[in-house]
Amino acid sequence: MKCLNSNCDATEIEKDDKFCYKCGHWTTRGYNFLKNDPNASKIFDGSTIKQSTRVSFLIELFAISFILFFVIIVIRGDNLFKPLYYLKKQINNYSYGYNTTLIKTDNKYYKENITSYEEAIDFIKKDFSRQESYCFNDYEVNRIALKLEKDYSIPSVSFCDMSLEEATRIKDVVEKMYSLFPNIKGALTNITISNAKTKSEYIARFQPMYQFVNINENINDYNKVNKTQILLNSYYFINDDTLSKPLTSTVDKNWYVNDATWESTIAHEFGHYISFLTLLRESNFENITFVSKNNINKINEILNNYGNEGHSIIIINKALDNYNKKYNTSISINDFASSISRYAATFDKSNRLIADETIAEAIHDYYLHGDNMQSESKEIVNVIKAML
């Protein structure tokens, strides 16, 4: 028996073989089979497909299918790792004992070449945009965050895993704060959900400076980037069980100004931001985001002043003086602060009034009560507005 393919040198073909074991072409017996069977021509045409060719074809088909699937996923905006992120989130929730976020607000980067304020802002945006796939939000929550970014020039707003109802309430706070103080854009880099070290560390928190890029690098070699941010504790803002309880379940009654809510505490943090902004404006700075060897000394001076509260106590003393003159009285600074709230009259270990909390609570009062705020709050707000 021989192969009918003249180019094939196959030997030892069995007499019953219809096809050559080496090239797949038909043998003499195979030719007769094809010739005499009326349906054979529909089955084969020339050489049969060898098994190795079939395997290669299947591999190619699988590869093409995988590429097409991946392209479709990318076009749709889906994320192949989403199930893994969801699993990680559930593990974190179990570890913490409540709903948490996978968003990290404490990332740090080194040896990054940042040459301008615009590049610094882009880097902040990229840091958060890389983490967007960690979030399980509906479209409307994302739309709210994007609108706040656009309307108020905030590089990043993240309400990751937050309910639409809660995101809407926080949106209302942010919008009202920018309405009460229209010229406070430009220094805040982000409003972000975050996991505090402990669930009770804070409800919301203002950080005037978080060293973000090139922290330990030589300023002559690398410029630095800071974030000025408001953080929202995940324990309070993405846990419905917590939000369903009154604020007094966490803080004492009358600690904040009257009528305070979970969301209005964000107005208190905006108060810190606004107080910090008056210091920046007084120093002819719009922000401290981009740090170079040309401005680092001045920025350090600003932060020093903010840290020791020299600037804040000047504001309170001026407001107190205005109050005493207006009402022909001479109340003490302690009584002045105490009339706003208990939080407004907190003291440090040296028994000095923490003036920045007084300012924040006065602004909190203004947010909640408008012109019906305490007269003491009004004097503080008037001084603040004049400085902006």
Side-chain angles (χ1 to χ4, degrees):
M1 183 71 65
K2 69 175 183 176
C3 176
L4 294 184
N5 181 359
S6 60
N7 295 321
C8 179
D9 57 356
T11 59
E12 300 181 1
I13 297 177
E14 298 293 333
K15 64 179 182 179
D16 291 332
D17 288 344
K18 295 183 178 68
F19 302 99
C20 175
Y21 67 86
K22 188 169 185 180
C23 71
H25 205 281
W26 51 57
T27 62
T28 303
R29 182 179 177 81
Y31 175 77
N32 289 330
F33 164 74
L34 293 170
K35 182 177 179 182
N36 297 326
D37 190 325
N39 295 318
S41 60
K42 297 178 183 179
I43 304 173
F44 299 106
D45 182 13
S47 299
T48 184
I49 300 175
K50 295 172 65 178
Q51 186 67 21
S52 60
T53 305
R54 288 175 182 165
V55 172
S56 298
F57 174 74
L58 289 173
I59 292 173
E60 290 174 3
L61 182 63
F62 175 78
I64 292 171
S65 299
F66 179 81
I67 292 170
L68 287 174
F69 173 74
F70 183 78
V71 169
I72 291 169
I73 288 292
V74 171
I75 291 172
R76 288 183 56 189
D78 293 339
N79 192 303
L80 291 172
F81 298 100
K82 205 77 170 177
L84 295 179
Y85 298 148
Y86 181 79
L87 179 61
K88 183 178 180 181
K89 178 177 167 58
Q90 297 310 310
I91 292 171
N92 281 4
N93 292 351
Y94 181 79
S95 176
Y96 277 86
Y98 54 87
N99 291 336
T100 57
T101 180
L102 295 182
I103 292 288
K104 288 178 64 67
T105 54
D106 58 355
N107 287 334
K108 293 185 178 182
Y109 299 89
Y110 301 91
K111 297 187 184 302
E112 297 288 344
N113 187 25
I114 308 294
T115 62
S116 67
Y117 168 77
E118 289 73 22
E119 288 182 11
I121 292 298
D122 283 343
F123 201 91
I124 291 171
K125 289 179 179 179
K126 287 176 184 176
D127 177 56
F128 286 115
S129 64
R130 291 188 193 109
Q131 302 183 67
E132 285 178 357
S133 56
Y134 297 162
C135 304
F136 298 83
N137 292 80
D138 66 29
Y139 170 77
E140 284 302 311
V141 173
N142 293 331
R143 188 186 66 80
I144 287 172
L146 289 171
K147 187 174 188 305
L148 292 176
E149 291 176 2
K150 180 181 178 182
D151 290 351
Y152 304 111
S153 303
I154 307 170
S156 175
V157 176
S158 176
F159 296 147
C160 187
D161 300 327
M162 195 178 290
S163 70
L164 177 59
E165 293 76 12
E166 186 59 21
T168 301
R169 286 191 285 265
I170 294 175
K171 171 190 73 75
D172 292 342
V173 175
V174 176
E175 288 180 339
K176 187 171 180 180
M177 290 307 300
Y178 280 94
S179 173
L180 294 172
F181 299 91
N183 54 347
I184 60 172
K185 297 178 184 179
L188 192 65
T189 60
N190 56 286
I191 302 173
T192 315
I193 199 77
S194 182
N195 296 328
K197 291 179 181 178
T198 65
K199 64 183 182 182
S200 57
E201 184 183 5
Y202 58 81
I203 299 173
R205 178 186 183 188
F206 170 68
Q207 271 189 312
M209 180 193 72
Y210 176 76
Q211 294 181 310
F212 177 53
V213 177
N214 299 334
I215 306 151
N216 299 321
E217 311 301 336
N218 190 317
I219 193 66
N220 293 314
D221 299 325
Y222 293 96
N223 297 318
K224 302 175 187 294
V225 179
N226 296 322
K227 289 191 292 186
T228 298
Q229 56 188 357
I230 291 177
L231 304 179
L232 311 175
N233 189 341
S234 60
Y235 173 70
Y236 297 101
F237 292 105
I238 61 174
N239 286 275
D240 292 338
D241 288 346
T242 304
L243 289 171
S244 66
K245 298 174 184 177
L247 183 60
T248 51
S249 65
T250 294
V251 298
D252 294 338
K253 187 177 180 181
N254 300 325
W255 177 249
Y256 289 108
V257 293
N258 290 338
D259 307 315
T261 65
W262 297 113
E263 294 77 28
S264 77
T265 63
I266 299 170
H268 173 100
E269 299 310 314
F270 261 95
H272 287 302
Y273 165 62
I274 292 166
S275 173
F276 180 64
L277 193 56
T278 62
L279 176 58
L280 291 181
R281 299 275 171 86
E282 190 178 70
S283 306
N284 295 317
F285 269 68
E286 283 300 312
N287 58 73
I288 58 166
T289 306
F290 178 66
V291 185
S292 69
K293 59 184 177 182
N294 297 323
N295 65 13
I296 188 169
N297 290 334
K298 187 62 178 177
I299 287 176
N300 286 338
E301 182 184 326
I302 290 170
L303 291 168
N304 236 9
N305 197 359
Y306 184 74
N308 63 29
E309 294 220 324
H311 178 72
S312 300
I313 199 66
I314 289 171
I315 292 174
I316 296 300
N317 282 329
K318 187 170 184 179
L320 173 61
D321 187 51
N322 291 344
Y323 179 89
N324 282 331
K325 287 178 180 177
K326 180 184 288 187
Y327 296 100
N328 193 26
T329 186
S330 57
I331 66 170
S332 69
I333 192 170
N334 292 356
D335 290 340
F336 180 76
S338 298
S339 65
I340 299 171
S341 72
R342 287 173 55 196
Y343 197 7
T346 51
F347 298 85
D348 62 18
K349 293 179 181 179
S350 300
N351 205 33
R352 293 177 302 183
L353 179 72
I354 304 177
D356 209 57
E357 297 298 352
T358 313
I359 293 171
E361 274 296 89
I363 291 173
H364 190 185
D365 190 9
Y366 182 37
Y367 164 81
L368 285 169
H369 306 117
D371 290 338
N372 294 321
M373 62 182 146
Q374 293 288 329
S375 300
E376 293 82 357
S377 296
K378 185 177 292 187
E379 293 305 323
I380 295 171
V381 169
N382 287 341
V383 172
I384 289 287
K385 285 192 170 185
M387 297 179 75
L388 292 170

